[in-house]
Amino acid sequence: MMIMVEGMAISGFFSWLCLTIAKAVRYNTTKIFVMFMVLAFVLSMFIDSITVILFLAAITITQGKLLKFDPIPVIIAEIFCSNLGGSSTMCGDPPNIIIGTALHYTFTDFLFNTGVIAILSLVLMIFFFYLCFRKKLNTNNLSKEDIAKMPSPDSAITSKRSFIISCIIFLCAVVLLVTHGQTGLTVSTIGIIAAIATCATAGKKAKHILRRIDYPTLIFFIGLFIVVGGLEETGILELIANFIHRISGGNVTFIVIIIIWVSAVASAIIDNIPFSATMIPIIKNLAAASGADLSVLAWTLALGTDIGGSATPIGASANVVGIAVASKNGHHISWKQYCTYAIPATLIVIAVSMLYIIFRYI
């Protein structure tokens, strides 16, 4: 998937998409603010949220310079919505990939469970962030002359051939992901197919694409799974599961409450990827000990880790990337500024998710 995304980036896909949306809403800042939140959510359903924020934040800063608005509120909202969108599908956020692969859930399993909660939460977050930032957005309408001076979306396309091919590969990957429960293809197989297709059609650019892959992250995953396997074999994770079972009295509702809030708080402090990998054996043991439905605990864990990671600048990788891009371009986002808006938003979504899970599944 990283290879496919790099192919799309080189062709200018992300810049073209953002400029097309901005032009469609006639460069109205408030509409751009809302549409970029939705765009961050939708793209993160299929593409790693780190990549989404990397390009979306850069485009937002460019639009801020052109339209004379502060890009920081938009970037904060985009970061939150990208993590929210990632929670809705199996391939959106790394924790979901880990949970889905380990417990054999499909793309549609996530979409019809965590996806429903994520979409409801997106509507709430659009209103929340609009109320928070409405006074900071410059909503002056541009004249036809000013609009004519704006960069054309087509100018972002570096190669029409590469652009068309990358779009076709992306759409095929989406179709395969949505139907992998019926076709029997695993998510990893679909990723390999997309990577091979990207490299095969990239020609001389294939080496450049392969050099841009985030290999340290892949190596980190390998080491992480070894560590978690060691914890599982030594019985430490089973002890943690038994402890949660005891303090909850075996009550499934209490187990859900504990998992979602502990996951959210932990993911706000440490990266949510290792935490979710560590928790999978724990929820397996909890389901066996309490008789709870394992899938309910899986959705609870996914939402807790994905959404909880939005609360602080270090909670999820997308947060770090978005803040780094802003800082690099002269827009410093402090911990206080970020947390002032992200923590209340996280609490709202976690509370809504908890209530939804309790009323729907228990």
Side-chain angles (χ1 to χ4, degrees):
M1 293 301 280
M2 288 180 180
I3 292 172
M4 181 193 75
V5 168
E6 288 299 336
M8 294 169 68
I10 289 174
S11 72
F13 173 82
F14 296 106
S15 299
W16 170 84
L17 184 59
C18 292
L19 290 172
T20 300
I21 290 174
K23 184 178 180 180
V25 297
R26 299 184 64 81
Y27 302 97
N28 180 284
T29 309
T30 302
K31 291 179 181 178
I32 288 175
F33 175 67
V34 173
M35 290 304 297
F36 277 20
M37 287 175 66
V38 175
L39 181 61
F41 181 93
V42 174
L43 285 177
S44 294
M45 292 173 68
F46 307 101
I47 301 173
D48 180 57
S49 56
I50 300 170
T51 304
V52 172
I53 288 300
L54 186 64
F55 292 100
L56 202 52
I59 294 295
T60 300
I61 291 168
T62 302
Q63 291 291 325
K65 291 177 181 176
L66 289 172
L67 302 177
K68 297 180 175 57
F69 68 84
D70 183 3
I72 289 178
V74 186
I75 291 173
I76 292 174
E78 287 168 353
I79 290 171
F80 194 92
C81 288
S82 70
N83 289 327
L84 189 59
S87 71
S88 63
T89 65
M90 181 177 168
C91 62
D93 263 358
N96 289 16
I97 298 173
I98 295 169
I99 294 168
T101 302
L103 303 179
H104 308 292
Y105 294 131
T106 65
F107 183 95
T108 50
D109 287 336
F110 275 90
L111 188 62
F112 289 115
N113 290 280
T114 61
V116 175
I117 303 173
I119 292 169
L120 291 173
S121 299
L122 174 65
V123 176
L124 287 175
M125 288 302 100
I126 289 173
F127 284 106
F128 174 81
F129 283 116
Y130 173 72
L131 291 173
C132 290
F133 297 131
R134 66 188 187 282
K135 294 181 180 178
K136 296 185 179 183
L137 298 172
N138 178 12
T139 55
N140 294 333
N141 292 321
L142 299 181
S143 64
K144 290 182 179 180
E145 291 77 14
D146 291 331
I147 291 175
K149 295 177 183 177
M150 293 295 168
S152 168
D154 292 338
S155 65
I157 300 174
T158 58
S159 166
K160 285 190 176 180
R161 177 184 175 276
S162 298
F163 177 81
I164 293 170
I165 290 172
S166 64
C167 287
I168 292 171
I169 293 172
F170 175 60
L171 290 174
C172 289
V174 170
V175 171
L176 289 174
L177 285 168
V178 172
T179 59
H180 82 99
Q182 290 73 41
T183 62
L185 293 172
T186 63
V187 172
S188 55
T189 302
I190 295 166
I192 291 171
I193 291 170
I196 292 171
T198 300
C199 290
T201 56
K204 294 179 180 179
K205 293 180 180 178
K207 288 184 179 179
H208 177 63
I209 291 172
L210 291 173
R211 288 195 195 102
R212 290 169 59 96
I213 301 305
D214 188 4
Y215 293 106
T217 298
L218 299 178
I219 294 170
F220 167 76
F221 273 120
I222 294 171
L224 170 66
F225 292 135
I226 293 171
V227 172
V228 173
L231 290 172
E232 188 173 5
E233 287 298 319
T234 54
I236 292 173
L237 300 182
E238 188 176 356
L239 290 174
I240 296 172
N242 290 334
F243 174 73
I244 294 174
H245 182 254
R246 282 199 306 274
I247 64 174
S248 66
N251 185 291
V252 179
T253 301
F254 288 150
I255 291 174
V256 166
I257 293 171
I258 291 169
I259 289 174
I260 197 165
W261 285 105
V262 168
S263 300
V265 172
S267 296
I269 301 170
I270 60 174
D271 193 284
N272 57 7
I273 296 171
F275 181 81
S276 60
T278 305
M279 283 294 292
I280 289 170
I282 293 176
I283 65 170
K284 282 183 178 179
N285 289 330
L286 273 172
S290 65
D293 188 337
L294 179 58
S295 64
V296 175
L297 302 187
W299 312 141
T300 305
L301 175 62
L303 289 164
T305 51
D306 293 335
I307 308 305
S310 301
T312 65
I314 60 169
S317 300
N319 311 9
V320 178
V321 169
I323 291 171
V325 170
S327 180
K328 187 178 178 181
N329 288 273
H331 300 280
H332 178 67
I333 302 175
S334 67
W335 267 71
K336 181 181 178 181
Q337 188 176 18
Y338 181 89
C339 294
T340 298
Y341 303 104
I343 289 178
T346 301
L347 293 175
I348 291 170
V349 175
I350 291 295
V352 169
S353 301
M354 179 190 70
L355 293 173
Y356 184 91
I357 290 170
I358 290 171
F359 285 111
R360 178 176 175 180
Y361 300 108
I362 299 173

